[in-house]
């Protein structure tokens, strides 16, 4: 499943080499299905302009999902995403006020750095204190929330996005393709490279399958845990910086709407929520699927109530098709 | 000989009982200490009114935390408890109205809907063989959609006689909400804990394969755990309606109750890896969390600092679980 092809005499098949397994194929099929359904409602859904716009919005979710996927591959989960997104946005915008002229250059790296710091703390709690990630990252989310409330209440010098943030989040510089999409592509290539071509990536899958076995084979599992959580924090904060650029402003609760879609996107893409199995192509499919679903339901002027019900039912239905685990007796 | 023998076994029974319930006892002691601190700094002292206000708030989270405990014991998780709680609140604000008799019928209907919601979760987990986290994440969205459908804006009403009775005081002293909680423990938790399926839930949480091989009814145990979780969450939703006299489909309320219920379960000494703990511990865990908020209030902490303080206390409380690494003799035990 992870791309290791032992025993196939003719070499890996092309589909396998690209990481297309059943779940990824079904996810992409569902995307086409949704687009076809949307096209019957209105021709607009197939216009390049609409699709590019969806990809631009999806890029924010995609960047968050990239980090969430690394953590889920370990068999852990990062529930601190909502406020780390806000943290990234607020620290980046505040840096302009703190740093003056230098702040304009430093704001984006600084926002990402703050997210990475929280991620490292999450990793230390999970790796060295051996606390369940679900509860430790939850506590960390509450702490970051407290810090941000304090920040906006008293010390926030600025909450306006800089032109650079606006540029990478909103503008289109090459062939009319949104810059945010290039950013997501860069992040995606990095994740694919790390997972497929480095020892660290192999270790991620190993830890996700069985941490004790990985430890006994000489993998520094704590370093892997901290690395993945740091990446997740950094990506959440980076998405926060982009979102601040997109809406020109950092505000409280801006990350709340991204935790569940990010996890859903990763899982719909065929990544096992217990860890050890999954590939990035699936996550891309999951992100596009979730973005299109949300967009089409809102374009159809479905009331929020119906949107939530359909959203939940589609996730369950899709997973019932391909996400089922083995029976107890196996 | 015999007397020393029995005494020793009685002693070891006690030690076993203490060791087994250490999580619950720690949470209870923490709560008593914090509540004493709260009362001793409260201007009015421990009057029935103060106790009732505190109880009415704390019982809501205690019920949701009890609900969360049952799936956690089977090594599952229910991320939809908060949504079921809000859904019960919204539905109750529509159908628990009219005369007392009609109100009671409405209550039964809300409880049935809650249990059905839990059963659907369980059915998808057991027969659909999906992971509990992602299942309840998705069904939670569905239940939230239903809440919005029932009550698009905040409002509604509730049968006021029942509401006043259940949120007031019995004999002018005992908060009625605590009696409701005790009733739920006696009628739902204790019989469940002593039943075959209750014990099976612990077995499933410890080791599902071994439980299956030993002929434990794995599927029925899980189904019952999720169904009861839905039922308990709807009891909490009813109590919320009686407190507020209205219904509101609020995603932030649902989210915070879900997350706080997990924290309460952990503070109450239940293992998130299943098979260990009790709903009684979760009740005290919930009380601890609520008392933290009250303490901030009496100590007059600047409002801006309150969320940070709450977060740090929550983080420290859940980090207490790290003490177990001091007992580990073999590093491989860390990875279990």
């Amino acid at each position: 499943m992870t791309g290791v092809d032992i025993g196939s005499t003719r070499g890996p098949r092309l589909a396998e080499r690209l990481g297309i397994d059943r779940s990824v194929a079904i996810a992409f099929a569902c995307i086409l299905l949704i687009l076809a359904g949307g096209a019957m409602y209105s021709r607009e859904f197939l216009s390049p302009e609409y699709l590019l716009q969806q990809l631009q919005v999806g890029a924010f979710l995609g960047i968050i999902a990239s980090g969430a996927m690394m953590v889920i591959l370990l068999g852990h989960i990062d529930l601190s995403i909502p406020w780390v997104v806000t943290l990234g946005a607020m620290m980046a915008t505040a840096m302009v006020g703190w740093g003056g002229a230098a702040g304009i250059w430093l704001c984006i790296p600084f926002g990402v750095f703050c997210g990475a710091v929280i991620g490292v703390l999450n990793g230390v709690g999970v790796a060295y204190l051996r606390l369940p990630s679900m509860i430790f990252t939850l506590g960390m989310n509450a702490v970051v929330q407290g810090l941000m409330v304090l920040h906006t209440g008293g010390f926030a010098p600025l909450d306006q996005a800089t032109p650079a943030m606006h540029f990478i989040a909103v503008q289109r510089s090459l062939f009319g393709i949104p810059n945010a999409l290039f950013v997501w592509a860069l992040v995606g290539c990095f994740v694919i490279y790390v997972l497929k071509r480095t020892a660290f990536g192999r270790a991620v899958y190993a830890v996700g399958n069985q941490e004790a076995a990985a430890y006994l084979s000489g993998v520094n599992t704590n370093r892997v845990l901290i690395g993945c959580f740091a990446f997740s924090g950094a990506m959440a904060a980076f998405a926060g910086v982009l979102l601040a650029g997109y809406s020109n402003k950092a505000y409280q609760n801006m990350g709340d709407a991204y935790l569940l879609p990010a996890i859903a996107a990763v899982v719909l893409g065929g990544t096992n929520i217990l860890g050890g199995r999954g590939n990035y192509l699936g996550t891309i499919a999951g992100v596009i699927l979730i973005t299109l679903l949300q967009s089409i339901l809102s374009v159809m002027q479905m009331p929020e109530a119906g949107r939530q019900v359909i959203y939940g039912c589609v996730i369950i239905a899709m997973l019932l098709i391909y996400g089922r685990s083995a029976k107890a007796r196996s | 000989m015999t007397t020393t023998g029995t005494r020793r076994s009685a002693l070891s029974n006690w030690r076993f009982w203490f060791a087994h319930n250490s999580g619950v006892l720690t949470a209870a002691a923490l709560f008593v200490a914090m509540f004493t601190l709260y009362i001793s700094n409260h201007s009015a002292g421990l009057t029935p009114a103060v106790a009732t206000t505190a109880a009415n708030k704390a019982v809501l989270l205690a019920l949701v935390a009890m609900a969360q405990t049952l799936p956690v014991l089977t090594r599952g998780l229910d991320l939809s408890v908060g949504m079921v709680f809000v859904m019960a609140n919204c539905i109750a604000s529509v159908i628990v109205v009219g005369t007392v008799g009609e109100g009671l019928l409405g209550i039964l209907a809300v409880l049935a809907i809650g249990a059905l919601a839990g059963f659907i979760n369980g059915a998808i987990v057991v027969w659909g063989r999906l992971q509990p986290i992602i299942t309840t994440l998705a069904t939670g969205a569905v239940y939230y959609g239903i809440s919005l459908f029932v009550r698009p804006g905040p409002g509604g009403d509730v049968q006021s006689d029942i509401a006043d009775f259940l949120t007031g005081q019995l004999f002018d002293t005992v908060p009625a909400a605590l009696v409701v909680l005790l009733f739920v423990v006696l009628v739902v938790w204790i019989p469940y804990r002593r039943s075959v399926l209750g014990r099976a839930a612990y077995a499933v949480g410890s080791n599902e394969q071994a439980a299956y091989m030993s002929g434990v009814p794995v599927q029925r145990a899980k189904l019952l755990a999720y169904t009861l979780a839905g039922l308990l969450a709807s009891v909490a939703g009813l109590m919320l309606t009686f407190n507020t006299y209205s219904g509101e489909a609020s995603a932030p309320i649902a989210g915070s109750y879900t997350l706080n219920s997990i924290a309460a379960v952990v503070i109450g000494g239940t293992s998130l890896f299943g098979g260990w703990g009790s709903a009684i511990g979760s009740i005290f865990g919930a009380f601890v969390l609520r008392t933290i908020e009250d303490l901030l209030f009496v100590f007059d902490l600047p409002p801006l600092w309150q969320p940070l303080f709450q977060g740090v206390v929550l983080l420290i409380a859940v980090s207490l679980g790290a003490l177990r690494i001091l007992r580990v003799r073999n590093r491989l035990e860390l990875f279990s």
Side-chain angles (χ1 to χ4, degrees), chain B residues 92-110:
Chain B
S93 73
V94 173
I95 64 174
V96 185
V97 286
T99 63
V100 173
E102 287 166 356
L104 289 175
L105 271 182
I107 290 178
L108 283 182
V110 171

Side-chain angles (χ1 to χ4, degrees), chain B residues 121-130 218-220 222-223 226:
Chain B
N121 285 339
I124 297 173
V125 168
V126 168
W127 291 313
R129 298 202 302 275
L130 298 187
V218 174
Q219 298 202 331
R220 267 183 293 147
K222 284 189 179 179
L223 270 178
Y226 284 94

Side-chain angles (χ1 to χ4, degrees), chain A residues 11-20:
Chain A
R13 295 210 324 264
L14 183 67
E16 278 172 18
R17 213 180 320 154
L18 288 173
I20 299 174

Side-chain angles (χ1 to χ4, degrees), chain B residues 24 39 61 64-65 81 89 91-92 110 112 143 148 177 179 188 203 221 223 229 231 234 243 257 267 275 282 309 318:
Chain B
V24 180
I39 288 300
L61 182 58
V64 179
V81 275
N89 171 232
I91 295 176
V110 171
Y143 301 147
L148 273 176
V179 179
V188 179
L223 270 178
L231 178 74
S234 66
N243 273 313
Y257 269 89
I267 294 173
S282 308
F309 188 80
V318 299

Side-chain angles (χ1 to χ4, degrees), chain A residues 134 260 304 324-325 328-329, chain B residues 77 127-129 137 209 212:
Chain A
M134 181 168 286
L260 301 188
E304 176 72 9
R324 307 177 75 192
S325 49
R329 59 180 62 93
Chain B
L77 195 74
W127 291 313
R129 298 202 302 275
L137 206 67
Q209 288 286 332
Y212 178 81

